[in-house]
Amino acid sequence: MNDIFKEHLCKYILVFFDDILVYSNNLEEHVDHLRTFLKILSFHQLLQLLLERILAPALYVFGDSLLDSGNNNLLPTIAKANYLPYGIDFAGGVTGRFTNGKTISDYIAEQLGLSFSPPSLSLFKSDTITGRNYASGSCGILPESGSLFGKCLNLDDQIDLFQKTIEMELQPHLGSSVELSDHLSKSIFVICIGNNDYISNYLEPNLLNTSKTYTPQAFAQLLGGRFSQGMESLYKLGTRKFLVFEIGTIGCMPIFTRTLQHEGPCVEELNQLVSLFNDGLPAMLKQLTTSLQGSTFAVGHGSKLGYDMITNPSKYGLTDATDPCCIAGNGGTLSCIPGSISCFDVDKHAFWFNHRDPLL
């Protein structure tokens, strides 16, 4: 490899044992360097070999507002983030992401060398087949979760949209069933959902009867059963690699810490409530991996990390683990006020708005 790039070594190309670095002084220069680099690879028939080493051909995202990249923009709901100050630190500006910058699925896409997964619901057709985002703010596993705010995409809705993506986009683009199967089996599927089944369902006893019908343990089992059914449906469509995140530490969210009496930084009773689901998640995913041949389910342990961040903020370089960074309505318990000015030290806050932690 050093012989192939010998004229360019140490000028703007470095060859390592398992990697190649192309570096430049500015963007314009970097484009020229990359163009030359790709021409050399193509000439020596190495480009295809490098492409075959890509970690995953696509990233498909399912979940709630932690991952929504703009689907709610086109839905009749008040749960929207398509206005400033949302997106104030995102390169693409306001997109419908419920945060100031990137979501966790955006960071995962970067690590996989993929572009950000575009929202499934969009006014603009995307020709890319490197992923789609089906996540919907305020929604959950159960169909009634989040319905108080209007229409959103629950887990079954998101899976239905994914099936349409297969039929209307992937099959025509990839052609053969063999290529489609290969694409789906190698792609990564990220799921972060269940928060709103508690926040906008079980913990709304005056509006919904869920908490009167199910004990905490029975409700966790209900969510687990419905979630497992959803994963089995995705598996039947050809998916094989899953990263499933725990439900967040909802007892630490400003929407609850500002309205409920508690000792310490969090409402521990609520954290214990969702722990019934989280504690059973590893065994559930292990069972799915065993029963669904060729599948791999991994747990994203965000709950303990989030709790440690709230209770030990200085450990993570944070100075405020209680106040939302944007100016939120109703004393900081609602969404960001449109056009309001966010805090100047956003990287020092654990929360962007009332109940969503960007690190979870």
Side-chain angles (χ1 to χ4, degrees):
M1 193 67 75
N2 282 324
D3 290 337
I4 293 174
F5 295 107
K6 62 182 179 182
E7 295 183 8
H8 310 277
L9 286 178
C10 298
K11 294 180 181 179
Y12 60 87
I13 292 179
L14 292 177
V15 177
F16 299 95
F17 177 75
D18 60 351
D19 205 354
I20 301 174
L21 173 67
V22 180
Y23 58 95
S24 313
N25 293 317
N26 54 62
L27 179 59
E28 183 178 357
E29 186 180 82
H30 195 57
V31 171
D32 290 335
H33 290 167
L34 285 175
R35 186 178 292 115
T36 301
F37 169 72
L38 292 174
K39 284 181 178 179
I40 295 172
L41 286 179
S42 181
F43 178 78
H44 290 278
Q45 298 181 332
L46 293 172
L47 185 57
Q48 184 61 35
L49 291 176
L50 283 182
L51 291 175
E52 291 175 354
R53 292 183 60 191
I54 293 177
L55 296 175
L59 177 68
Y60 294 95
V61 181
F62 300 76
D64 52 30
S65 61
L66 284 173
L67 302 181
D68 190 347
S69 63
N71 287 304
N72 274 25
N73 294 351
L74 299 182
L75 294 174
T77 175
I78 61 173
K80 294 181 184 291
N82 57 346
Y83 57 87
L84 288 172
Y86 293 107
I88 195 170
D89 298 312
F90 187 67
V94 177
T95 60
R97 286 169 168 80
F98 287 77
T99 183
N100 59 301
K102 301 172 186 175
T103 67
I104 192 168
S105 61
D106 293 331
Y107 287 107
I108 293 174
E110 289 180 332
Q111 292 300 312
L112 293 173
L114 299 171
S115 57
F116 298 157
S117 301
S120 175
L121 301 182
S122 176
L123 295 174
F124 306 97
K125 179 176 174 57
S126 176
D127 294 327
T128 179
I129 60 166
T130 57
R132 286 289 184 279
N133 186 310
Y134 306 92
S136 179
S138 81
C139 243
I141 298 171
L142 303 179
E144 60 269 26
S145 299
S147 60
L148 304 172
F149 304 102
K151 172 61 180 175
C152 62
L153 304 173
N154 59 57
L155 181 59
D156 287 342
D157 292 332
Q158 294 178 34
I159 295 172
D160 288 342
L161 281 176
F162 173 64
Q163 184 171 0
K164 291 180 180 178
T165 298
I166 294 176
E167 296 170 352
M168 301 176 66
E169 299 181 42
L170 296 183
Q171 285 180 342
H173 187 96
L174 294 171
S176 72
S177 59
V178 174
E179 290 187 3
L180 175 62
S181 177
D182 185 66
H183 173 88
L184 293 175
S185 65
K186 292 180 178 178
S187 296
I188 304 296
F189 290 77
V190 173
I191 302 103
C192 181
I193 199 166
N195 296 281
N196 293 309
D197 291 294
Y198 285 96
I199 298 170
S200 303
N201 188 336
Y202 198 78
L203 296 174
E204 290 285 0
N206 295 327
L207 299 172
L208 295 169
N209 293 323
T210 314
S211 61
K212 301 172 185 176
T213 306
Y214 298 95
T215 65
Q217 184 65 49
F219 185 66
Q221 292 174 349
L222 173 67
L223 291 182
R226 294 286 184 86
F227 183 81
S228 292
Q229 290 173 10
M231 296 305 99
E232 290 172 2
S233 296
L234 283 174
Y235 176 84
K236 290 176 181 177
L237 292 173
T239 66
R240 293 296 181 268
K241 298 180 179 180
F242 304 84
L243 172 60
V244 181
F245 282 92
E246 298 171 322
I247 294 176
T249 49
I250 64 173
C252 302
M253 297 174 180
I255 190 174
F256 294 120
T257 59
R258 292 189 170 203
T259 57
L260 300 177
Q261 290 186 347
H262 60 95
E263 296 182 2
C266 304
V267 184
E268 295 300 343
E269 292 84 355
L270 299 186
N271 288 338
Q272 293 171 8
L273 183 65
V274 299
S275 71
L276 295 174
F277 178 88
N278 288 339
D279 290 347
L281 186 61
M284 179 204 309
L285 298 183
K286 183 178 180 180
Q287 175 59 35
L288 286 170
T289 299
T290 301
S291 60
L292 303 178
Q293 185 176 5
S295 69
T296 301
F297 287 83
V299 182
H301 294 286
S303 182
K304 290 182 180 179
L305 174 62
Y307 185 78
D308 189 47
M309 182 183 65
I310 300 302
T311 54
N312 300 288
S314 60
K315 180 179 176 180
Y316 299 86
L318 303 176
T319 57
D320 193 327
T322 58
D323 300 315
C325 186
C326 77
I327 300 176
N330 195 30
T333 63
L334 298 178
S335 300
C336 301
I337 296 175
S340 61
I341 300 174
S342 61
C343 63
F344 67 92
D345 55 347
V346 62
D347 59 333
K348 300 296 182 181
H349 283 247
F351 292 95
W352 169 245
F353 75 114
N354 66 342
H355 62 280
R356 283 296 177 261
D357 185 335
L359 294 184
L360 289 184

